[in-house]
Amino acid sequence: MATDRGALRDLGVTLALSGLGAGLFAVVGMPAPALTGSATAVTLAVLAGLPMRIPTWLRDLCFVTLGLNIGSSVTPDVLRAAATWPLSFAVLAVTLFCSLFASRAVLERGFGYDRTTATLASTPGHLGYVLGLTADMKADIVTISLVQSTRVLFLTLVVPLVVTLLFEPTGATVLPRSVVTPLSLGLLYVAAFALGLVFLKLKLPAAFLLAGMAASAAGHLGEITPGRMPDALAVAALLVMGALIGTRFRGAGMVAFRNCILAGLCITGIALAFALLGATVVMATLGLPIDMLIVAFAPGGVEAMAAIAIQAGLDPTFVAAHHVARLALLTVMIPLLARHTLGKTD
């Protein structure tokens, strides 16, 4: 019982700090304050030693809510536009492969990482999957976690800022103007969670986010559940998402953080350079907006990047589809690279 009370207290403090950070960022005019402000506040609290916590049930609820919000933007016009996306996916695959190998070389030669640790730390995404593999391999799990978490936090903070500073606001309304009814919303949540459990069984990446997107898209295309998510729920999901990013630094001392942050920033810079190259190629070939492509190709978390797309008035379906494709590619690539790495070191 005492443990339960302690967990609830930690959760309450985490959410309070998340809201405070979002409020401060909103006051100073930072982009996507609910996401960037909460991530910054909770990260600083974690590094200061405070027990920040986001339980699994709340994480899954957050992902489902984000997925339902993204799925509400799916229309027949979006599906017709998707016919032009395969080339974009192909460019994404090439840049992903080049980014991974360039980052691994930098970590090996510039930071002295062993081949296995460098391979897993340089992977541009799929943190949970990477850490699961790390448990079965001779790699530094603390270093990998810190380097990868630095990537996620940096991109969550920088991508909205870059899009805001370099590009004019789109003024686009990518979500329906009307709000979904309570009955339809309840049906969507039930369907999304049921589908999420199926996706988990199938070991799909971002299972609950994908389930929310699929349930919402089906409901909107069939005109069964018209309308967007209530604003309060959408903002609450962003606050939890930001807090979740911050909690990934739990257990990291300041010394370990300082030693890994430079490595994390270096590989993030490399990944961003290849992402910008890929975005430029697709823009020149397909004529798609460069700001949307930057968010789609940036190697951040699928949930965070899709949320940023909504905040910026960009097509969240396009963005989410590219990040899910990146995770699917990494699901295949990482074990193959890991086996090759072990073969080299044994």
Side-chain angles (χ1 to χ4, degrees):
M1 186 68 70
T3 302
D4 292 341
R5 283 198 297 268
L8 286 174
R9 182 190 65 242
D10 293 345
L11 174 59
V13 173
T14 302
L15 295 179
L17 281 174
S18 177
L20 178 61
L24 290 174
F25 271 44
V27 168
V28 300
M30 289 291 287
L35 182 66
T36 57
S38 57
T40 301
V42 174
T43 297
L44 293 175
V46 166
L47 293 174
L50 296 179
M52 300 288 97
R53 181 190 302 269
I54 295 293
T56 301
W57 65 265
L58 184 56
R59 179 200 67 190
D60 293 342
L61 178 61
C62 163
F63 288 172
V64 166
T65 303
L66 289 173
L68 292 176
N69 206 30
I70 295 165
S72 66
S73 69
V74 177
T75 65
D77 288 339
V78 169
L79 294 183
R80 282 190 289 272
T84 65
W85 296 356
L87 176 61
S88 185
F89 289 142
V91 174
L92 174 68
V94 173
T95 57
L96 185 69
F97 190 80
C98 294
S99 170
L100 198 156
F101 277 88
S103 297
R104 186 175 73 175
V106 167
L107 291 182
E108 280 189 282
R109 299 170 188 174
F111 292 89
Y113 287 12
D114 63 80
R115 172 60 64 90
T116 303
T117 299
T119 298
L120 295 174
S122 60
T123 301
H126 233 336
L127 177 58
Y129 184 53
V130 168
L131 294 182
L133 286 176
T134 303
D136 295 327
M137 302 172 66
K138 297 176 181 178
D140 186 343
I141 190 168
V142 174
T143 295
I144 291 169
S145 180
L146 286 175
V147 171
Q148 291 276 14
S149 296
T150 299
R151 171 185 57 81
V152 173
L153 176 64
F154 181 77
L155 289 169
T156 300
L157 297 178
V158 169
V159 170
L161 193 60
V162 169
V163 171
T164 301
L165 292 177
L166 297 185
F167 306 101
E168 291 292 328
T170 65
T173 302
V174 296
L175 301 178
R177 294 187 181 277
S178 61
V179 178
V180 67
T181 66
L183 177 59
S184 294
L185 185 60
L187 291 174
L188 284 172
Y189 270 107
V190 170
F193 271 106
L195 191 57
L197 294 175
V198 174
F199 285 178
L200 274 181
K201 195 80 171 177
L202 296 173
K203 301 186 184 303
L204 294 180
F208 283 103
L209 180 84
L210 286 179
M213 290 174 59
S216 183
H220 283 82
L221 288 172
E223 298 185 351
I224 301 169
T225 57
R228 72 176 192 278
M229 295 289 290
D231 292 340
L233 278 179
V235 171
L238 291 176
L239 290 174
V240 173
M241 183 72 235
L244 182 64
I245 291 170
T247 59
R248 284 178 166 170
F249 291 93
R250 186 171 51 242
M254 288 302 296
V255 174
F257 180 78
R258 285 195 300 268
N259 290 340
C260 292
I261 191 170
L262 182 58
L265 291 176
C266 282
I267 67 165
T268 302
I270 293 169
L272 272 177
F274 279 105
L276 288 172
L277 177 61
T280 303
V281 170
V282 175
M283 179 191 67
T285 307
L286 299 179
L288 296 173
I290 187 63
D291 48 355
M292 181 179 74
L293 289 166
I294 288 173
V295 181
F297 276 66
V302 54
E303 302 87 1
M305 294 298 111
I308 289 168
I310 291 176
Q311 296 282 302
L314 306 172
D315 182 354
T317 306
F318 179 90
V319 171
H322 280 68
H323 285 284
V324 170
R326 174 170 54 89
L327 295 183
L329 286 167
L330 290 173
T331 300
V332 176
M333 288 172 61
I334 296 171
L336 294 176
L337 285 172
R339 286 196 200 98
H340 177 73
T341 298
L342 288 175
K344 292 288 187 181
T345 55
D346 286 347

